[in-house]
Amino acid sequence: MSIVQDQDITESVHLSEATPGDFLALLKPRVMSLVVFTALVGLVVAPGTVDPFTGFISILCIAIGAGASGALNMWFDADIDAIMRRTAKRPIPAGRIQPGEALAFGLILSGFSVATLGIMVNWLSAGILAFTIFFYAVIYSMYLKRTTPQNIVIGGAAGSFPPLLGWACATGAISIEPIVLFLIIFIWTPPHFWALALFACKDYGAAGIPMMPNVAGEASTKRQIFGYSLLLAPLGVAPALLGFASPIFGIVAALLGLNFLRHAWQTLRMADGDEKMTPAKRLFGFSILYLFAIFAGLLVDHIVSPFYPVIGG
Amino acid sequence: MVEPDKQQERVQLTPQQQKARRMRSIAIALVLGALVILFYAYTIRYFGNIGQ
């Protein structure tokens, strides 16, 4: 007698309809692109020259490591992703990928990226990459995100490591310069995410995530956004002050920082209960432009500064 | 004793599942091919550096 006598076997066996695009979505390509960009800046700005092969392997492994931590994050956060409008269509809550598949995918890519970086580039950068994945997937996703309104302040460290990683890949060491690049992203993260949380706090509240506006209120969040912006503006100029970027970069960074402060000030002055939240939305939009401009500025400055020795020093 | 119904024991894939599986297989093949090239290039470069 057949075991499957009168039962369609397809009902008891999970048959995946996941496409390669769904697995790509697990890697959070938009976050990955920012990681790749900031890591590339760290790699290029670092002293000395990196041969193209090593540079390519470094960026590839950092990108895959970032993607792996994104997949692990989506595996763990599938329950809250299903509640929030912004994340409900992700592959796991939408049912296109099983949680176990995402977990295996994330773990395999983590192991592959760390081991390859260690073997082909250096073990310092591999160690930092492993710590970054662990920090994002375990410390941030599994602990901080659901327990404290400081989640993105501390968790922001995970997103701050890429330029430091790029620098470590190029030099095999860590110095004050990549730490400054780390700090720029670290201090940028709270005003960026809290501006988003101000106008998306209902979504976060419904999912039970203790974002700052839900826990401390709008007024406190706006004050803290302004406080972090006050720290960020001079920090953006630090590469010029420390001598690894030109004074021209310093001027541009100072102007960008002042504009950031202006948006943060307008957000601070925004009336409590403002439904439109226009200043917060503008700050969120500008914060993305700010980070891109600072790192693109560093990259361009590093490339063109040898051609303006008199002006750039 | 009844012979197992071979037709019934086989998992029947829907056209969508077949298409998804084919696309995954192609993606895996491409990634494995790229890895072979990557590790080959690294090995050649590594032994090239030792030889110098």
Side-chain angles (χ1 to χ4, degrees):
Chain A
M1 195 173 110
S2 168
I3 296 168
V4 289
Q5 199 176 11
D6 293 323
Q7 187 186 350
D8 183 357
I9 197 168
T10 54
E11 285 176 12
S12 56
V13 177
H14 167 69
L15 298 168
S16 180
E17 290 182 6
T19 63
D22 292 324
F23 283 95
L24 190 69
L26 282 181
L27 304 180
K28 297 190 176 182
R30 289 170 74 179
V31 176
M32 192 198 275
S33 63
L34 187 66
V35 166
V36 165
F37 177 61
T38 53
L40 181 72
V41 173
L43 190 85
V44 172
V45 173
T49 52
V50 180
D51 71 273
F53 186 80
T54 304
F56 173 74
I57 295 295
S58 302
I59 295 299
L60 180 72
C61 290
I62 292 168
I64 292 172
S69 60
L72 293 172
N73 169 269
M74 282 203 206
W75 161 71
F76 190 79
D77 277 352
D79 56 337
I80 51 178
D81 281 352
I83 299 168
M84 293 199 292
R85 204 173 23 181
R86 187 172 64 86
T87 53
K89 288 180 182 172
R90 284 178 173 175
I92 302 175
R96 297 193 301 277
I97 288 183
Q98 296 296 303
E101 291 173 324
L103 175 64
F105 188 58
L107 288 175
I108 290 168
L109 290 188
S110 299
F112 167 80
S113 57
V114 171
T116 307
L117 194 65
I119 293 166
M120 295 193 183
V121 182
N122 62 59
W123 285 102
L124 173 69
S125 52
I128 299 171
L129 181 62
F131 180 73
T132 306
I133 296 169
F134 171 78
F135 195 88
Y136 185 69
V138 178
I139 306 290
Y140 172 70
S141 301
M142 295 183 190
Y143 176 65
L144 293 170
K145 186 171 179 178
R146 299 176 192 230
T147 54
T148 168
Q150 297 292 333
N151 46 16
I152 52 99
V153 178
I154 309 164
S160 311
F161 275 114
L164 199 132
L165 259 169
W167 191 286
C169 286
T171 64
I174 297 295
S175 55
I176 185 71
E177 295 94 334
I179 293 173
V180 167
L181 300 182
F182 171 93
L183 284 174
I184 289 172
I185 304 180
F186 187 71
I187 298 298
W188 166 89
T189 306
H192 168 74
F193 275 107
W194 285 338
L196 170 69
L198 276 173
F199 58 85
C201 65
K202 284 177 189 165
D203 251 14
Y204 284 113
I209 302 172
M211 290 300 277
M212 194 57 81
N214 306 85
V215 178
E218 273 185 32
S220 171
T221 305
K222 288 187 286 188
R223 280 197 302 274
Q224 292 188 66
I225 284 176
F226 190 71
Y228 276 99
S229 304
L230 278 173
L231 289 175
L232 181 64
L235 205 54
V237 186
L241 298 176
L242 288 170
F244 68 99
S246 74
I248 292 175
F249 169 84
I251 293 166
V252 173
L255 292 173
L256 285 166
L258 286 172
N259 211 3
F260 198 106
L261 269 175
R262 184 175 68 84
H263 283 290
W265 175 252
Q266 285 169 347
T267 303
L268 180 67
R269 289 177 53 105
M270 184 175 72
D272 279 355
D274 184 337
E275 286 292 316
K276 286 186 177 175
M277 299 254 180
T278 307
K281 287 175 183 171
R282 282 185 182 152
L283 173 63
F284 177 71
F286 183 76
S287 66
I288 297 168
L289 178 70
Y290 174 86
L291 196 70
F292 175 77
I294 288 286
F295 277 84
L298 276 170
L299 192 65
V300 171
D301 186 69
H302 184 78
I303 294 166
V304 303
S305 61
F307 299 106
Y308 50 76
V310 178
I311 307 167
Chain B
M1 189 176 167
V2 181
E3 283 291 312
D5 185 345
K6 296 292 181 192
Q7 279 296 99
Q8 206 175 18
E9 275 188 2
R10 291 183 64 183
V11 174
Q12 296 297 316
L13 299 181
T14 65
Q16 195 176 357
Q17 287 165 343
Q18 281 181 333
K19 189 184 173 193
R21 186 176 67 173
R22 181 172 165 73
M23 286 169 71
R24 288 198 304 271
S25 300
I26 291 170
I28 290 168
L30 289 174
V31 168
L32 287 176
L35 282 178
V36 167
I37 294 168
L38 190 74
F39 278 85
Y40 180 76
Y42 173 75
T43 307
I44 294 296
R45 184 173 163 275
Y46 180 76
F47 284 111
N49 287 345
I50 286 177
Q52 284 174 0

